Amino acid sequence: MANGCEHPAACHTGEAPVLASATKKGRFWLLIEHAGPWAAEIEESRLPDDVRTLVARARKLGIRPQLIRRPGRREARSGPLHVYLAAAAVDDPWLAEAFPESPDDLDLRSLVHGVVPESCILVNEPMFLVCTHGRHNACCARLGLPLARFLSENLPGEVWETTHVGGDRYAANLVCLPHGLYYGSMSQAAAIAAANAYRHGEVVLDRFRGRAGIPEPLQAAEHFVRAHTGEISVGGVAVESSRSVGDSTVCVVRCTTGRGTSRFRVVVEPTVFSAPCGMTCADGIPTYRLAELSPLTPVST
């Protein structure tokens, strides 16, 4: 631990497991450019009325609001609002940009139906968010700020600092939109590798927390199938169905490769990782173990 950090050191170095820890509340996103300062919670920040209105509307609709700013930039921007919308929980995830004159110019109800609002323009390039929300947790600023600057230098125009994304113990955190892919415990080398892979439609399993918007056991099932098959395309692996059996979760996972589509029965169970750091550390880190992974034989018709 360092600089008052309450997390086991393994959390920030990649030694602790990070799989299946992406937020379940990341199906749809509203990202509002606001230089700050950022309070511990978004609603506690000194926000313009139009920003506060959009944040409240997003919360009500189940959209995840985030404040964003360019790395190193703290001055307030002039002109109309600048926002991005992202739909991660659709068949073909998308990212769009808008400059609404007022909150009423942004149709957030369209977003939750997976439809691009008329006031928005689709963005072809990905967006990379690095959590630097120091007021929420000091680790996010200490580890996130230098990572955001590094990525911005290497991927100009595609990187933003952002408020809390969940999982402070895994700082520095990186989120890839529009698909909502989460990475944690990121070094500069790991982050640029993950970002470049995403720009080519691929996932890097090293330090991959999971896909936002789906329950953690399903994230774990997808992870184990990727590890088993070596399939790294972003859309190549997905849970088709799942059910709970006691503490276990039984999933049918589809894996599509250039050779065709396979399905697997995957059973995952919750477990706890205990960091080897003595009594000074926090409680064990919740994670998942693979109990079963077996191919499903297609039924002949």
Side-chain angles (χ1 to χ4, degrees):
M1 295 185 291
N3 297 337
C5 173
E6 74 277 15
H7 306 126
C11 287
H12 299 314
T13 61
E15 299 171 80
V18 302
L19 76 155
S21 61
T23 179
K24 295 182 292 185
K25 300 178 181 179
R27 294 171 57 81
F28 302 101
W29 299 66
L30 168 66
L31 307 122
I32 308 171
E33 184 174 359
H34 178 69
W38 299 338
E41 303 297 334
I42 290 179
E43 286 81 358
E44 297 172 359
S45 302
R46 295 179 180 176
L47 302 176
D49 290 342
D50 49 4
V51 173
R52 191 173 297 280
T53 296
L54 280 178
V55 168
R57 289 179 181 177
R59 297 278 195 204
K60 187 175 181 180
L61 291 169
I63 299 167
R64 185 178 183 92
Q66 300 280 145
L67 302 181
I68 59 173
R69 63 191 175 206
R70 287 298 187 186
R73 183 180 297 175
R74 295 295 180 270
E75 69 274 12
R77 67 181 305 276
S78 58
L81 286 167
H82 180 208
V83 306
Y84 290 90
L85 303 182
V90 295
D91 291 338
D92 188 13
W94 51 263
L95 177 69
E97 183 179 24
F99 295 87
E101 293 289 343
S102 77
D104 292 337
D105 294 335
L106 195 63
D107 182 8
L108 293 180
R109 292 188 180 276
S110 291
L111 173 59
V112 297
H113 289 96
V115 177
V116 181
E118 291 184 358
S119 60
C120 298
I121 299 176
L122 284 172
V123 175
N124 292 323
E125 295 299 319
M127 172 183 282
F128 300 103
L129 304 178
V130 178
C131 180
T132 60
H133 199 171
R135 289 291 181 89
H136 193 94
N137 190 284
C139 296
C140 295
R142 178 171 63 87
L143 299 171
L145 285 168
L147 181 64
R149 288 194 294 268
F150 169 79
L151 285 179
S152 181
E153 291 169 359
N154 286 273
L155 299 170
E158 297 181 14
V159 181
W160 297 81
E161 296 180 21
T162 192
T163 46
H164 179 60
V165 297
D168 301 325
R169 62 164 64 96
Y170 303 119
N173 281 298
L174 173 69
V175 181
C176 307
L177 291 176
H179 287 81
L181 305 186
Y182 267 57
Y183 289 88
S185 308
M186 297 303 275
S187 64
Q188 292 183 356
I192 197 66
N196 282 331
Y198 183 63
R199 297 177 86 249
H200 290 89
E202 296 177 346
V203 174
V204 174
L205 279 189
D206 180 37
R207 310 191 192 198
F208 181 48
R209 291 182 56 189
R211 182 161 56 94
I214 64 175
E216 289 92 343
L218 278 59
Q219 296 177 37
E222 289 187 0
H223 182 100
F224 290 128
V225 169
R226 288 188 183 278
H228 176 73
T229 63
E231 179 54 42
I232 59 174
S233 65
V234 170
V237 175
V239 174
E240 291 188 332
S241 64
S242 65
R243 59 188 175 91
S244 297
V245 181
D247 290 337
S248 301
T249 302
V250 181
C251 302
V252 173
V253 183
R254 182 190 72 250
C255 179
T256 302
T257 68
R259 298 183 299 275
T261 298
S262 303
R263 287 176 173 79
F264 298 87
R265 170 186 161 92
V266 183
V267 182
V268 298
E269 298 174 348
T271 187
V272 173
F273 170 83
S274 297
C277 51
M279 298 300 292
T280 59
C281 286
D283 294 336
I285 301 164
T287 185
Y288 289 86
R289 63 175 292 270
L290 177 63
E292 178 188 339
L293 193 158
S294 56
L296 293 174
T297 303
V299 177
S300 300
T301 56

